[in-house]
Every structure is written in C-alpha cells, then in structure tokens.
Amino acid sequence: MFDIISLKNGLENVEGFYFGGVSAGFKKDGKNDFGFIRSDEPFLVSKVFTTNKFRAAPLEHALRYGKNFSSNFILLNSKNANAMTGEAGISDIDEILSNIPLNLINPLMSSTGVIGERLKKDKLIKAISKFNFKSKDSNAVAQAIMTTDNFKKELAFRVELKNGKSFNIAAICKGAGMIQPCMATMLCYILTDAKIPQSDMDELLNGAIKQSFNAISVDGDTSTNDTVMLFSSGKKDYDKQAFKAALNMITLNLALMIVKDGEGSKKVVSYEINGAKSDYEAQIVAKKLSNSLLVKTALHGEDPNWGRIASTIGASGVECDPKTLSIYYDDVLVYDKDHTELDEVREQKAHKVMKKDSFKIKCDLGVGKGKFIAYGCDLGHTYVDINSSYRS
Amino acid sequence: MFDIISLKNGLENVEGFYFGGVSAGFKKDGKNDFGFIRSDEPFLVSKVFTTNKFRAAPLEHALRYGKNFSSNFILLNSKNANAMTGEAGISDIDEILSNIPLNLINPLMSSTGVIGERLKKDKLIKAISKFNFKSKDSNAVAQAIMTTDNFKKELAFRVELKNGKSFNIAAICKGAGMIQPCMATMLCYILTDAKIPQSDMDELLNGAIKQSFNAISVDGDTSTNDTVMLFSSGKKDYDKQAFKAALNMITLNLALMIVKDGEGSKKVVSYEINGAKSDYEAQIVAKKLSNSLLVKTALHGEDPNWGRIASTIGASGVECDPKTLSIYYDDVLVYDKDHTELDEVREQKAHKVMKKDSFKIKCDLGVGKGKFIAYGCDLGHTYVDINSSYRS
C-alpha cells in the first residue's frame, strides 16, 4: 500500500537536482528560452526518443553514450530544434556544452523549435553566464522549453510508502501541436529521488509512455525531436508498484495537459474503445478517431454527428460490423443497430454532452474483447492560425 | 495512333444515354438534389466502391447484382448518404426505385450527404414525377450530386481513331471534403459509347483510379459512399490503348478538380517522390505528405518551411537518410546535405513558388528507384468553417 500526494510547484520537490532558465534572446517577448537541469553526483538516465527516422542532432548526440549511462547535466533550448543539421549540428552541441563552467559527465542537450536551422552558438554560449547553477527554479526551466504552449506543464507528487518512508517524482513537459499517437513534438523530463534500478527505469518508462504520450493526438504528426527522459538521483527509498503508479499518473496527467493545450483546442475527448477483436485493433480505432479531421472539426462545432465516428471506424480496416457497433457520448446512446437515427431527445442530450470541456466517446465494436483509450482534442481556427503563420 | 479532343458540355456527348436532375426540396437554395442516368437498352457497368467496411446502403444494394451485370437506370441524390441505415436503408432503395415509371433492369441508386439518417422516401417519390426521362441535361444531373462542391465537375472527350472512327467518353463527379488517397467522399459516373468488353472495363477502371482518385487527398478521411462507375452503351468503335489514355485523362483531370475544390483550399500541390526504395514506399511518402496537417497549413501560409516536409518523410517509416535526401519546390532546391539551411535568396525563390496556385514539391530520397505522384491541397479557415458547422 502507498499514498500518492499531489505537491505544489514542480521539480523543487525532488532531492538532488538543480535547475533554472534564462532568456538567451530568442523569444521576442523576452521569456526564458534556455535552461538546464543538473546534479552534483551523476543521475541515472532512462530515455525514449521519437520514432521519426530523421532524429534531431541532440538525440543522435545522446545516443553516442550508448544504451545505459549516467549524466550530471542537460541543457535545454527552445525556438530551434537543431534538426536536419547533420554532423555540424552535433558538433555545435559539443561546442556549446564545452563552455559550461562545471565538471560535466556525459552532458546532454535537448532542443525544440524550427527544423533546419543551425543553433546560434554565440548567443547561447553568451547566455550561459546568466545561469545560476545552484538555483532550484522549476518555473524558470519549464518556461524555457515552452514553444506554442499556452500554459506551463509541471507536476509533482510525493509517494508515501507503508514503511513510513517516501520518495518524490516531478516533471516538466512541453508540447502543443504536432502531437500524435507515437510520441509527439514534446519534451518531457521526469525527475525522481527514488533509488530505482536502471532496468526498472527503462521498463516502467516505456509502459508509462504507452498509456499516456502514445495515446494522445493533436494533429497526427510525429516530430524529429520528441524526447522523454527519466532521471534518478537515487537519494530516497523505492518501491516498484508505488513508483509505477506514480509514474503512470504523472505521465497521463501531463499527456492530458498537452491535449488540453493542443494548438487552439477547446475540448479534451477520450475515445474509449471496447469490444474490438484485439487490444491492437482497439488502439487502431482509438487513434484513427483522435486523428480524424472530420471528427475533430465536428467536436469543434459541438455537433453530435456520429456518422463521422462510424465512418472513421469503418475506414480503419479493423474487424467491425454495423449490427454489433454501439456509440455513446458519455452515457447518451447515439447509435446501435436499433437506433440508427438520432431522435430529438437523444440529439439534444448528445449536444449537451458535447458542450462540455471534456467528455467521452465510447464505442463498443461488439466483435471481441480488445480495448484501448486514446485522448484527443478538437480542431478550430486557432490551429490554422498558429500553423499557417510564417516562421519569422 | 489516336487523338483525344476536349468537348464542350458533358454527358450529352455520349450516345445512348438520357440524364437529368430536379430539386426534391432538400437543398435549401432550391438547387437540384435528385437526378438520374438511364438508357433504352441495357448498358454494361463497371464499378469501384469504397474500402470503408461500413458501406452505405446503395453500395450493398448494387452488390446484390453480383460482380458483372447490365443495368438501364441509376438514381442519384444528395444531402443524405443512406449510410448506417441497415436493411431498412436497402429496402428504402427498392421502394423508391419501384416508383420509377419505366421498365427497369437491375436499377441502381447512389447517395451522398449526411450519414445515419433514413431517406425521406415520400419526398423523393413525389419528385420522381418532375423528371423528364427523355432529357439529356448533363448540367442538371451534375448539379444534383453536388454537396460542399464550389463548382460543377464535368468533362467530355471525343477520341478519334486512325481508322476514321471515333468514340466518346464523358463524366460527372462530386467530391470536396473527406477525400483521401483510398478513394474519397466522391461519386463519379463515367459514360462511354465505346464498345468496350466487360473485362477491359474492370481492368482499365481500376488502373485509372490508382493514378487519379487514389492519389489525391483533401483531409485523409475515407467515406462510406465512395463510388466510381463506368457505363458503356457499346454504340461506337473501341480501341483499348485509346480508351485507356482517355479514361486516365478524364479521371486524373476530375481528381485534380476535386483537389482544387478541396473544402476551402487555395492551392493544388503535386508531391513527386523519386528515389524511394520501392514504388510502394514512394506512395507512402507522397500520401503522408499530402495528408499532413502541418504541411497543409504551411502551404496555406505560403511558408517554405521544408522542415515539416523532412519531418513527415522521417516519420513515414520508409527507408530514408538525411544525407541522401533532397527537396525542391518546383526547381528551387530547399534542402540537401550540403544545403541544410535556407539562405535568403533560396528562401525568397521558394516563397515565390509557394505563392502560386499550383506547384510541385519534389523529394528525392536517394535510396532506390521507387516513384509516385500524389496530389493535395492546403488547409485553411474555410475547411474548419465547413466542417465544424452543425448539420442542420
């Protein structure tokens, strides 16, 4: 048994780390765009990177350390992804890191922003002198990785074990557009002081991502820079079940914050698929729905046009049958074989559900026992505004 | 050798058919929403239907005639797709068709519009009396199948053979949103008076669709009603090569008209992929690009943000390498391994290309000989307006 307690603030709650952020002058409004996380003693690193074959330079740079390694420093920047920059992009990282006035062990860098531009090394190196390497300012570093995010994404929990001991877990995260069900244009750094073994870190991080960041969609694109990292300082007690629960909770909550902040989105919708032939087929349906432009625009218009849901299921290629399918908006039945048309009462009830900021679309395919839950948002004008504006 | 000559008007040019359209009162502006195509003697039918598993009632109804059959009548309506309506939807078709005051052989029906509502049989049956079954009004029937289309899609060609003989081919088509590279929310009826054998009809129609309707994308969704039909009255001469060329030309031109009319789109872009490991992998890339929201919004903003192109290629799962990749906008190089950053001159040239109504994005993956061309459009506010508005 254990208790998971939500804490105020963010990374400050975890023992053994320092972090901060400053403006290096890239964000026009003068907000932070450059940050770091570090420790005095090396921390264990577990990481999951994008499946995009054009991995950005920071990811290639980190992969040079091999599968398992410890580090004591990561540099973070926004406004430039250092992607599609070839070997030069990797050398740039080494050069910038060589200017950090600390004794670094396997130092890392993470970048997010525009693809296809070299880092402005001089400006970044100059800004290093602004860092206070003894600071513990979670807000400052969380701001530094924000791009089109409308709000900061930062969470912290204390886990109290039955033996009276406890550990802490906290995370910062960025991600707004380009979020798709195979990771996202997202960066996420999870810090813990629990003394977790490397093998558990890798196993539990992969499991946590599957039910959180891999189950969300903003626009179906997968970026070159997607990174989730778990750092452990090993200062406190550890319990596998408790850690798994806390890690799943923190990643799912961050994932939902990303969806809520989906560029211009007003609504968070969970797609609960049951009765598919397999969990895999349920996942295909859930992700197809959360990615469908026609479904997303119908959500935006608060129109209980379940035909678009049905059509998307039919187009997904999975085993399905209109005679066994049922579709609910929260608890309002909008389709089954005996209710192929919305009467006025159900239409009004369904419309009322859709007016909420958050609701469920539940589909039972009625052909097996497979199930999966995915999360998505609506798509409106703001998405078009954000993504059709010129880079400069 | 043969000549293909573009003709004025549409279906009128083909011998052996009658067609027309009227308002049955479903379109609020009083425009035609109900039409027919028929012949005195049976015509051969070749058809390709949606891959969506929830095929609409008209498709299930037609499939009852078996693979190859002749017909002498098809009824067409818009505003209601008669999809997800079960057996009742099929019975509705039989009942409506039984009210046509002609001697029908294997009569067909096609519907497009909202999913999940029963046809208003009484209104349709009443409107049958308005038809003039001796009319040859291509414009009237083309209007009857339009939904969110902004312009009528109608083409006709005469093919002159070297023996001095000739045949005609003409088509009407609808489709605007929900167009994806596995057919589309589209209906297309191609009429010919060439005496084409059934086996050639099926073979050539499938080939023509592959390079036209299956290579376009508006929003990546596949509908329940997609239908392409080829009818032959067999009144005139036939030559396979000439017919193939004319059929490919008419379907590709109609496909490009659909993209041009993509809900709210301003631009038609062709994605020419070369150097992929296989034609199949080239097709994956071409379709991923034409479906990517981030690419489509960048087109809308006329931003030569080639990073989104590269990122989409990397995310597509095909064999690729940043060292062998090159990307051009028409003839302007925007990326290769020696040009990882847009200088001001190339940026301005690329931006100029993107201001055009129509241009090419050419990607050479440099890993093989596979190639494919797909066609897509941009995505802007009008798409959101059209698709987020309430059905009523």
Side-chain angles (χ1 to χ4, degrees):
Chain A
M1 295 298 296
F2 51 87
D3 288 317
I4 300 178
I5 294 147
S6 184
L7 304 175
K8 277 209 293 187
N9 304 321
L11 306 182
E12 301 83 339
N13 294 287
V14 182
E15 285 188 26
F17 294 93
Y18 303 94
F19 29 83
V22 299
S23 168
F26 295 104
K27 285 185 183 163
K28 286 177 187 159
D29 56 9
K31 288 192 177 156
N32 291 357
D33 45 30
F34 194 37
F36 72 90
I37 301 170
R38 71 166 204 92
S39 61
D40 288 329
E41 295 158 58
F43 49 76
L44 282 184
V45 176
S46 183
K47 61 190 184 311
V48 176
F49 287 161
T50 183
T51 56
N52 194 305
K53 289 201 181 163
F54 296 155
R55 277 191 299 251
L59 285 64
E60 295 294 346
H61 175 266
L63 288 169
R64 293 186 175 185
Y65 296 135
K67 188 168 157 30
N68 294 328
F69 63 94
S70 294
S71 171
N72 66 353
F73 192 86
I74 184 166
L75 201 57
L76 308 165
N77 77 285
S78 50
K79 294 302 278 180
N80 185 325
N82 194 10
M84 300 300 287
T85 48
E87 282 296 319
I90 300 174
S91 306
D92 289 347
I93 295 172
D94 282 326
E95 191 182 335
I96 294 164
L97 286 169
S98 72
N99 284 276
I100 302 290
L102 295 168
N103 182 22
L104 300 188
I105 299 158
N106 298 328
L108 298 159
M109 186 164 185
S110 269
S111 301
T112 180
V114 175
I115 293 170
E117 288 178 12
R118 294 277 296 278
L119 290 172
K120 305 284 175 293
K121 276 180 292 189
D122 294 350
K123 229 165 151 176
L124 289 169
I125 289 166
K126 205 174 152 199
I128 287 171
S129 62
K130 298 168 79 175
F131 284 140
N132 170 6
F133 289 114
K134 287 286 180 191
S135 68
K136 293 195 178 210
D137 190 343
S138 183
N139 178 56
V141 66
Q143 292 283 355
I145 56 171
M146 285 172 69
T147 52
T148 55
D149 302 68
N150 288 305
F151 57 85
K152 189 181 61 170
K153 291 157 194 78
E154 191 184 31
L155 282 176
F157 296 114
R158 183 169 70 248
V159 183
E160 301 192 337
L161 304 173
K162 61 178 172 183
N163 62 4
K165 301 198 171 174
S166 67
F167 64 85
N168 303 290
I169 182 168
I172 58 168
C173 175
K174 82 122 246 165
M178 218 173 177
I179 304 298
Q180 99 111 352
C182 274
M183 300 269 294
T185 302
M186 58 164 293
L187 303 176
C188 178
Y189 306 92
I190 308 159
L191 272 50
T192 185
D193 43 26
K195 195 172 171 58
I196 176 174
Q198 179 82 46
S199 58
D200 282 8
M201 284 177 87
D202 296 341
E203 175 198 332
L204 298 181
L205 185 61
N206 276 289
I209 288 173
K210 195 178 166 194
Q211 54 93 51
S212 59
F213 303 122
N214 280 2
I216 59 175
S217 168
V218 172
D219 61 13
D221 282 294
T222 306
S223 100
T224 51
N225 291 57
D226 307 336
T227 295
V228 180
M229 284 184 170
L230 171 61
F231 300 155
S232 163
S233 66
K235 303 246 175 237
K236 311 255 295 179
D237 231 25
Y238 171 69
D239 173 88
K240 186 167 180 178
Q241 281 316 108
F243 190 84
K244 182 180 175 182
L247 184 64
N248 284 350
M249 190 187 286
I250 208 165
T251 51
L252 179 58
N253 277 288
L254 288 168
L256 293 177
M257 287 166 87
I258 290 176
V259 175
K260 196 174 167 60
D261 199 12
E263 290 169 348
S265 82
K266 297 182 302 180
K267 291 172 195 300
V268 177
V269 178
S270 64
Y271 298 91
E272 299 194 10
I273 310 303
N274 287 293
K277 198 176 143 200
S278 64
D279 288 352
Y280 179 68
E281 292 212 339
Q283 185 178 338
I284 290 173
V285 170
K287 292 187 173 184
K288 265 269 192 183
L289 287 171
S290 66
N291 273 318
S292 163
L293 267 180
L294 286 171
V295 172
K296 288 158 81 82
T297 46
L299 295 179
H300 188 71
E302 300 176 340
D303 179 4
N305 187 350
W306 62 266
R308 291 185 182 177
I309 307 278
S311 180
T312 303
I313 296 171
S316 69
V318 308
E319 192 176 316
C320 55
D321 183 338
K323 291 191 196 69
T324 60
L325 176 71
S326 63
I327 305 173
Y328 288 80
Y329 287 28
D330 277 350
D331 293 317
V332 181
L333 173 73
V334 293
Y335 172 84
D336 71 10
K337 71 177 193 331
D338 300 319
H339 300 82
T340 62
E341 227 167 340
L342 274 184
D343 57 42
E344 209 171 311
V345 175
R346 287 187 296 122
E347 167 114 21
Q348 281 176 7
K349 281 186 184 169
H351 184 48
K352 203 169 157 190
V353 169
M354 295 193 77
K355 286 179 164 294
K356 301 198 296 182
D357 288 348
S358 174
F359 60 95
K360 291 176 187 172
I361 295 181
K362 295 188 278 190
C363 306
D364 194 319
L365 305 194
V367 297
K369 294 188 169 181
K371 55 180 197 276
F372 192 83
I373 303 176
Y375 307 91
C377 56
D378 59 324
L379 186 146
H381 290 288
T382 315
Y383 182 90
V384 175
D385 285 334
I386 291 170
N387 287 296
S388 63
S389 70
Y390 210 82
R391 282 154 299 151
S392 57
Chain B
M1 296 297 297
F2 52 86
D3 289 314
I4 299 179
I5 294 146
S6 183
L7 304 175
K8 279 208 292 188
N9 303 322
L11 305 182
E12 301 83 340
N13 294 287
V14 182
E15 285 188 26
F17 294 94
Y18 302 94
F19 29 83
V22 299
S23 167
F26 296 105
K27 286 184 181 163
K28 286 179 187 158
D29 57 8
K31 286 190 178 160
N32 290 357
D33 46 30
F34 194 38
F36 73 90
I37 301 172
R38 70 166 204 91
S39 62
D40 288 330
E41 295 157 60
F43 49 77
L44 282 182
V45 176
S46 183
K47 62 190 181 311
V48 176
F49 287 159
T50 184
T51 56
N52 193 304
K53 288 199 182 164
F54 296 154
R55 276 191 300 252
L59 285 64
E60 295 294 346
H61 175 265
L63 288 169
R64 295 189 173 181
Y65 296 135
K67 188 169 158 28
N68 295 326
F69 62 94
S70 294
S71 171
N72 66 353
F73 192 86
I74 184 167
L75 201 57
L76 309 165
N77 76 286
S78 50
K79 296 301 278 180
N80 184 326
N82 194 9
M84 301 298 289
T85 46
E87 282 295 319
I90 300 174
S91 306
D92 288 347
I93 296 173
D94 281 326
E95 190 182 336
I96 294 164
L97 287 169
S98 72
N99 283 275
I100 302 290
L102 294 167
N103 181 21
L104 301 188
I105 299 159
N106 298 328
L108 298 159
M109 186 163 185
S110 269
S111 300
T112 181
V114 176
I115 293 169
E117 290 177 11
R118 294 276 297 278
L119 292 173
K120 305 283 175 294
K121 276 181 293 188
D122 293 349
K123 229 164 151 177
L124 289 168
I125 289 167
K126 204 175 152 197
I128 287 171
S129 63
K130 297 166 81 176
F131 284 140
N132 169 5
F133 289 114
K134 286 287 180 187
S135 69
K136 293 192 177 212
D137 190 343
S138 183
N139 177 57
V141 65
Q143 293 282 356
I145 58 172
M146 287 172 69
T147 52
T148 56
D149 302 69
N150 288 304
F151 56 85
K152 187 182 63 172
K153 293 159 191 78
E154 190 185 34
L155 283 174
F157 296 115
R158 183 170 70 245
V159 183
E160 300 191 338
L161 304 173
K162 62 177 173 184
N163 62 4
K165 301 198 171 172
S166 68
F167 63 86
N168 302 291
I169 182 168
I172 58 169
C173 176
K174 82 123 247 168
M178 219 175 177
I179 304 299
Q180 100 112 349
C182 278
M183 299 269 295
T185 301
M186 57 165 292
L187 303 176
C188 179
Y189 306 92
I190 308 159
L191 273 50
T192 184
D193 43 27
K195 194 173 173 57
I196 177 174
Q198 179 82 46
S199 59
D200 282 9
M201 284 178 85
D202 296 341
E203 174 198 333
L204 298 181
L205 184 61
N206 276 288
I209 287 173
K210 193 178 167 194
Q211 54 92 53
S212 59
F213 302 123
N214 280 1
I216 59 175
S217 169
V218 172
D219 61 14
D221 283 292
T222 306
S223 101
T224 50
N225 290 57
D226 307 334
T227 295
V228 180
M229 284 185 170
L230 171 59
F231 300 154
S232 163
S233 66
K235 303 243 174 238
K236 310 253 300 178
D237 232 25
Y238 170 70
D239 173 89
K240 186 168 180 178
Q241 281 318 107
F243 189 83
K244 181 180 176 180
L247 183 64
N248 284 350
M249 188 187 285
I250 207 164
T251 52
L252 179 58
N253 278 287
L254 288 168
L256 293 176
M257 287 166 86
I258 289 176
V259 175
K260 196 175 168 59
D261 198 10
E263 291 168 350
S265 82
K266 296 182 304 180
K267 292 173 193 303
V268 177
V269 178
S270 64
Y271 298 92
E272 298 194 10
I273 311 303
N274 287 293
K277 198 175 142 202
S278 63
D279 288 351
Y280 179 66
E281 292 211 340
Q283 186 177 337
I284 290 173
V285 170
K287 291 185 174 185
K288 264 267 191 185
L289 287 171
S290 66
N291 273 318
S292 162
L293 267 181
L294 286 170
V295 172
K296 289 159 80 82
T297 46
L299 296 178
H300 189 71
E302 300 177 342
D303 179 3
N305 187 350
W306 61 265
R308 292 185 182 177
I309 306 280
S311 180
T312 303
I313 294 171
S316 69
V318 307
E319 191 175 317
C320 56
D321 183 338
K323 293 194 194 67
T324 60
L325 176 69
S326 63
I327 305 173
Y328 288 79
Y329 287 29
D330 276 352
D331 294 317
V332 181
L333 174 71
V334 293
Y335 172 84
D336 70 12
K337 72 177 190 335
D338 301 318
H339 300 82
T340 62
E341 228 166 340
L342 274 184
D343 58 40
E344 208 171 313
V345 175
R346 288 186 296 121
E347 167 114 20
Q348 280 175 8
K349 280 187 184 168
H351 184 50
K352 202 169 157 190
V353 169
M354 295 192 78
K355 287 179 162 293
K356 300 198 297 183
D357 288 346
S358 173
F359 61 94
K360 290 175 188 174
I361 295 181
K362 295 189 279 190
C363 306
D364 195 318
L365 305 194
V367 296
K369 295 191 168 179
K371 55 180 199 272
F372 192 82
I373 304 175
Y375 307 90
C377 57
D378 60 323
L379 185 145
H381 289 288
T382 315
Y383 181 89
V384 176
D385 285 334
I386 291 170
N387 286 296
S388 64
S389 69
Y390 210 83
R391 284 155 296 152
S392 57

